């Protein structure tokens, strides 16, 4: 054992001597190279390379078995430019780079002999060139590099601008050619006048051709759809509203919107505009809607409810869309659009008033369909100093109000009487009849109140509870009006009161119609019993009837909410659905129940807005438009496309 230990010590001492010898030999070689190449010796490195000064270092390396000798780092000198070399890389370890071919050598090659060898072997035709030649060549390449960087930057900005302009075109529902024909020339003229010719040249590089804008809109539509799919990927619950209509090219379009909770906000998002190729039966609508949900990564199992109008294809008892949904997914609720119910209710007016309304429509159409009559009426109104000088055209298209038609007609009845006295004496006779004019006045008044009810139920974030409250309030008003009309008081109908202040002409007619209107509301709105959801409206004033259907856990959490004063302050400051979203963190069970109730759509208002946009997007000049769904998504989406992300996925190319 003792002999083996002596042998190991001998080996270590021998290996230490070999390392020291190698270290000294390496130092001598490096010092010789420096002297030959004319390189100034680095004091710190020279000291480390000195075999005498580094004896302790060598012994320490041998004893502690650490890293070998530190690597020598060569520095770049200005006279290397005469060999056609500049430097590149980090300052602590630069590497030589050939100006002519761009080849990079190692740091150890940064010596005149190796640089000259590269020049003579690969660029022999430049051996006679001096330092000034390579200096000019280097500055030229640097300018070219800056130009390339500048052009690349301009290309990226042009790509970003192209996407943003395309989004504006889609939002404004304009044809794609407007970008290149109107927007780009206008921008060039503005920039040229304000910033000069160079700025105009840069603006010209933005690609805005018809096909480019179409591609940009398609990219943004796909990104929005992908973004919505990502938000709903965790199987969160949602509500739907859908409606179908025929566009200008006689194609049946099914429009759908979705409502869901994202973080602390309610999102009402355009979902799809799908074409129904042939028929529009309940089965067709169901199949199309199922495909739409699949394309967006959604499932009927997570759908809370669907809101539709009362068309047979939607609400048919056996073959309607809602019936198809409930057959496969019984837990999905359904809502009949409150606005459409109110419109159906209005159509049930008595025959006596219906004939008056039809005659008013005929008179309006007689004037509006004849240019000469329209001009004559305008001139008469100006001479008489009337507030208005034209009639409102009556039509059955959505959102045009009969109330406004009747009110404008009544205000201009004297001018119309003069106009009809020559060519249409029978029309003039009606306008000179006080009883007939009193009926027109009552129609204008009652339609005004109905329109106010209709408008109050339109808007975003409208839910079943708020719409039911407004309808119940209108029912209460009908009872109040009936009581006053029985006493021959018509102050709630200002135009009627103006022509019949004593109520001798219209009292019985108004009373009968208000009774019929009350019955119609009971027919079209039979289930407005939402008292069981009073705890959702106001959790701090609940009754035993409203909480009877709640489970024990939900009642317990509701009791805790009622004693939470912080939440009480939040209830007074925030909208209802945001209050429940705030309460969800501490009381998830009862809050989720309340949020699911408030998510239900009560109207198809968003679909009606979508169809209004569709008439602008797909008009007579664009009736062959194929990318309707993409255009509608970019135009109507509440979620904006991630344009910066799209730009990173596309190669930037400027316009030629």
């Amino acid at each position: 054992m003792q002999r083996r230990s002596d042998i190991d010590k001998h080996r270590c001492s021998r290996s230490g001597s070999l390392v020291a010898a190698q270290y000294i030999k390496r130092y001598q070689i490096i010092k010789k190279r420096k002297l030959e190449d004319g390189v100034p010796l680095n004091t710190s490195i020279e000291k480390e390379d000195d075999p005498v000064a580094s004896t302790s270092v060598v012994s320490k390396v041998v004893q502690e078995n650490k890293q070998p000798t530190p690597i020598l780092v060569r520095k770049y000198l200005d006279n290397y430019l005469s060999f056609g070399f500049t430097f590149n890389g980090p300052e602590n370890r630069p590497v030589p780079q050939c100006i002519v071919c761009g080849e990079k050598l190692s740091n150890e090659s940064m010596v005149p002999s190796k640089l000259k060898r590269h020049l003579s072997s690969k660029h022999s035709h430049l051996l006679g060139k001096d330092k000034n030649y390579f200096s000019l060549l280097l500055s030229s390449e640097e300018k070219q590099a800056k130009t390339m960087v500048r052009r690349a930057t301009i290309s990226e900005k042009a790509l970003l601008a192209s996407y943003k302009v395309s989004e504006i075109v889609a939002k404004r529902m304009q044809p794609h050619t407007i970008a290149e024909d109107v927007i780009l020339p206008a921008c060039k003229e503005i920039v040229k006048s304000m910033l000069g010719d160079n700025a105009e040249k840069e603006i010209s590089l933005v690609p805005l051709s018809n096909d480019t804008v179409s591609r940009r809109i398609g990219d943004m539509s796909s990104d929005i759809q992908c973004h919505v799919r990502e938000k709903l990927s965790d199987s969160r619950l949602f509500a739907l509203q859908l409606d179908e209509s025929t566009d200008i090219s006689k194609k049946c379009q099914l429009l759908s919107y979705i409502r869901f909770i994202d973080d602390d906000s309610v999102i009402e998002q355009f979902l799809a505009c799908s074409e129904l190729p042939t028929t529009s039966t309940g089965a067709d609508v169901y199949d199309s809607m199922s495909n739409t949900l699949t394309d967006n990564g959604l499932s009927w199992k997570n759908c809370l409810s669907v809101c539709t109008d009362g068309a047979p294809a939607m609400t048919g008892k056996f073959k309607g869309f809602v019936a198809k949904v409930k057959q496969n997914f019984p837990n999905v609720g359904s809502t009949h659009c409150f606005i459409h119910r109110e419109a159906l209710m209005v159509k049930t007016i008595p025959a006596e008033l219906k004939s008056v309304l039809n005659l008013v429509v005929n008179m309006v159409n007689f004037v509006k369909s004849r240019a000469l009559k329209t001009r004559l009426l305008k001139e008469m109104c100006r001479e008489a100093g009337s507030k208005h000088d034209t009639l409102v055209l009556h039509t059955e298209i959505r959102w045009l109000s009969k109330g406004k038609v009747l009110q404008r007609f009544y205000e201009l009845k004297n001018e119309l009487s003069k106009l009809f006295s020559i060519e249409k004496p029978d029309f003039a006779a009606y306008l000179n009849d006080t009883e007939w004019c009193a009926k027109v006045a009552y129609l204008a008044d009652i339609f005004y109140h109905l329109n106010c009810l209709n408008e109050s139920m339109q808007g975003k974030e409208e839910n079943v509870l708020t719409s039911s409250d407004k309808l119940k309030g209108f029912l209460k008003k009908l009872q109040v009006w009936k009581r006053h009309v029985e006493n021959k008081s018509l102050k709630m109908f200002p135009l009627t009161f103006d022509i019949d202040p004593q109520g001798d002409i219209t009292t019985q007619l108004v009373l009968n119609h208000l009774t019929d209107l009350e019955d119609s509301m009971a027919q079209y709105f039979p289930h407005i019993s939402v008292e069981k959801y009073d705890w959702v409206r106001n959790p701090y004033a609940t009754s035993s009837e409203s909480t009877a259907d709640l489970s024990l856990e939900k009642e317990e959490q509701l009791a805790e909410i009622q004693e939470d004063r912080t939440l009480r302050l939040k209830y007074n400051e925030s909208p209802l659905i945001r209050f429940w979203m705030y309460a969800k963190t501490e009381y998830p069970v009862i809050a989720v129940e309340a949020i699911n109730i408030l998510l239900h759509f009560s109207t198809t208002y968003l679909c009606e807005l979508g169809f209004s946009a569709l008439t602008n997007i797909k008009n007579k000049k664009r009736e062959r438009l194929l990318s309707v769904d993409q255009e509608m998504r970019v135009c109507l989406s509440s979620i904006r496309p991630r344009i910066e992300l799209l730009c990173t996925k596309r190669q930037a190319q400027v316009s030629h």
Side-chain angles (χ1 to χ4, degrees), residues 192-208:
K192 182 179 180 180
S193 301
M194 300 292 293
L195 303 176
D197 295 338
N198 292 332
E200 181 198 5
K201 292 179 181 178
E202 293 189 5
I203 292 294
S204 302
L205 300 177
V206 180
L208 291 174

Side-chain angles (χ1 to χ4, degrees), residues 569-592:
L569 295 175
K570 199 73 177 178
Y571 175 79
N572 296 327
E573 298 172 355
S574 308
L576 186 59
I577 194 166
R578 286 179 174 77
F579 162 77
W580 284 111
M581 286 191 287
Y582 183 80
K584 184 179 177 181
T585 55
E586 295 185 43
Y587 312 100
V589 179
I590 189 67
V592 168

Side-chain angles (χ1 to χ4, degrees), residues 132 229 249 527 621:
N132 293 331
R229 190 184 299 113
S249 58
H527 304 293
K621 295 182 179 180

Side-chain angles (χ1 to χ4, degrees), residues 140-154:
S140 176
E141 289 187 356
E142 289 176 348
K143 290 180 181 179
Q144 290 180 2
K146 290 180 180 179
T147 303
M148 289 298 294
V149 171
R150 179 172 171 272
R151 286 193 174 275
T153 305
I154 293 175

Side-chain angles (χ1 to χ4, degrees), residues 275-482:
E275 180 183 333
L276 301 178
T278 54
T279 58
S280 57
T281 63
D284 296 327
V285 174
Y286 176 75
D287 292 340
S288 177
M289 200 65 221
S290 298
N291 293 334
T292 297
L293 294 181
T294 303
D295 293 341
N296 289 275
L298 304 175
S299 172
W300 281 113
K301 296 179 181 179
N302 300 323
C303 181
L304 292 170
S305 68
V306 291
C307 181
T308 66
D309 62 6
M314 293 292 184
T315 57
K317 187 175 181 181
F318 299 105
K319 297 183 179 181
F321 163 72
V322 175
K324 292 286 184 182
V325 174
K326 289 185 176 294
Q327 287 174 9
N328 300 313
F329 304 95
N331 294 329
V332 178
S334 63
T335 310
H336 188 305
C337 174
F338 279 58
I339 296 175
H340 285 87
R341 287 201 226 179
E342 192 265 346
L344 290 172
M345 177 188 66
V346 168
K347 291 186 177 181
T348 61
I349 61 176
E352 186 177 2
L353 293 175
K354 182 72 173 178
S355 61
V356 174
L357 178 60
N358 291 337
L359 189 54
V360 169
V361 171
N362 291 336
M363 293 181 184
V364 171
N365 291 340
F366 175 80
V367 176
K368 296 294 290 184
S369 62
R370 292 165 175 80
L372 177 59
K373 305 303 179 187
T374 303
R375 294 196 298 269
L376 290 174
L377 177 63
K378 182 176 289 188
E379 191 62 29
M380 289 180 181
C381 293
R382 288 179 180 175
E383 292 177 358
S386 302
K387 184 178 180 181
H388 306 287
D389 58 5
T390 185
L391 294 170
V392 179
L393 182 63
H394 170 72
T395 178
E396 293 292 341
I397 297 177
R398 292 177 176 86
W399 309 121
L400 292 183
S401 168
K402 294 184 181 71
K404 293 181 180 179
V405 173
L406 289 163
Q407 187 171 3
R408 181 68 59 85
F409 178 87
Y410 184 81
E411 291 176 356
L412 299 179
K413 65 180 188 302
N414 295 329
E415 289 78 7
L416 287 170
S417 177
K418 294 179 183 178
L419 180 65
F420 292 146
S421 60
I422 302 174
E423 295 188 11
K424 283 286 185 178
D426 52 338
F427 285 174
Y430 283 111
L431 288 169
N432 294 325
D433 185 356
T434 304
E435 184 177 353
W436 190 86
C437 290
K439 294 177 182 178
V440 174
Y442 171 69
L443 281 174
D445 285 329
I446 194 63
F447 271 106
Y448 169 77
H449 288 296
L450 290 171
N451 287 341
C452 290
L453 173 63
N454 192 309
E455 291 175 3
S456 68
M457 291 188 293
Q458 299 174 22
K460 297 181 178 180
E461 297 190 17
E462 186 74 14
N463 56 67
V464 177
L465 302 184
T466 55
S467 297
S468 299
D469 289 345
K470 292 166 185 175
L471 283 168
K472 283 192 170 184
F474 189 78
L475 276 171
K476 291 286 186 182
K477 286 168 64 175
L478 286 178
Q479 296 174 2
V480 173
W481 292 346
K482 285 174 62 178

Side-chain angles (χ1 to χ4, degrees), residues 620-631:
K620 290 182 179 180
K621 295 182 179 180
R622 304 177 71 193
E623 63 176 341
R624 294 187 180 182
L625 183 67
L626 299 178
S627 57
V628 177
D629 182 55
Q630 298 174 353
E631 296 276 344

Side-chain angles (χ1 to χ4, degrees), residues 136-174:
L136 293 173
L137 187 61
L138 178 61
S139 61
S140 176
E141 289 187 356
E142 289 176 348
K143 290 180 181 179
Q144 290 180 2
K146 290 180 180 179
T147 303
M148 289 298 294
V149 171
R150 179 172 171 272
R151 286 193 174 275
T153 305
I154 293 175
S155 299
E156 293 173 358
K157 292 181 179 179
L159 178 65
L160 180 64
S162 177
Y163 270 103
K164 291 188 174 181
V165 172
S166 299
E167 184 186 16
I168 293 173
V169 171
K171 288 282 188 184
R172 299 296 183 273
M173 299 170 282
Q174 296 298 321

Side-chain angles (χ1 to χ4, degrees), residues 67-197:
Q67 296 293 331
T69 314
I71 300 174
L72 177 67
V73 178
R74 300 184 182 277
K75 294 184 177 180
Y76 178 80
L77 299 178
D78 292 339
N79 59 353
Y80 292 168
L81 188 60
S82 60
F83 303 110
F85 274 85
T86 183
F87 69 94
N88 204 334
E91 294 183 359
N92 59 349
R93 189 173 177 80
V95 294
Q97 182 177 9
C98 180
I99 300 173
V100 182
C101 64
E103 182 180 352
K104 294 181 180 179
L105 306 179
S106 63
N107 178 262
E108 289 77 7
S109 300
M110 197 180 290
V111 292
S113 59
K114 293 185 178 181
L115 301 181
K116 188 174 181 180
R117 187 186 310 127
H118 174 88
L119 181 65
S120 60
S121 60
K122 296 190 176 182
H123 312 292
S124 57
H125 61 288
L126 299 177
L127 280 174
K129 303 296 182 180
D130 58 0
K131 184 178 178 181
N132 293 331
Y133 172 81
F134 292 108
S135 177
L136 293 173
L137 187 61
L138 178 61
S139 61
S140 176
E141 289 187 356
E142 289 176 348
K143 290 180 181 179
Q144 290 180 2
K146 290 180 180 179
T147 303
M148 289 298 294
V149 171
R150 179 172 171 272
R151 286 193 174 275
T153 305
I154 293 175
S155 299
E156 293 173 358
K157 292 181 179 179
L159 178 65
L160 180 64
S162 177
Y163 270 103
K164 291 188 174 181
V165 172
S166 299
E167 184 186 16
I168 293 173
V169 171
K171 288 282 188 184
R172 299 296 183 273
M173 299 170 282
Q174 296 298 321
H176 303 163
T177 53
I178 196 173
E180 190 174 30
D181 296 342
V182 179
I183 297 178
L184 186 59
C187 289
K188 288 168 65 176
E189 290 298 330
I190 293 172
V191 170
K192 182 179 180 180
S193 301
M194 300 292 293
L195 303 176
D197 295 338

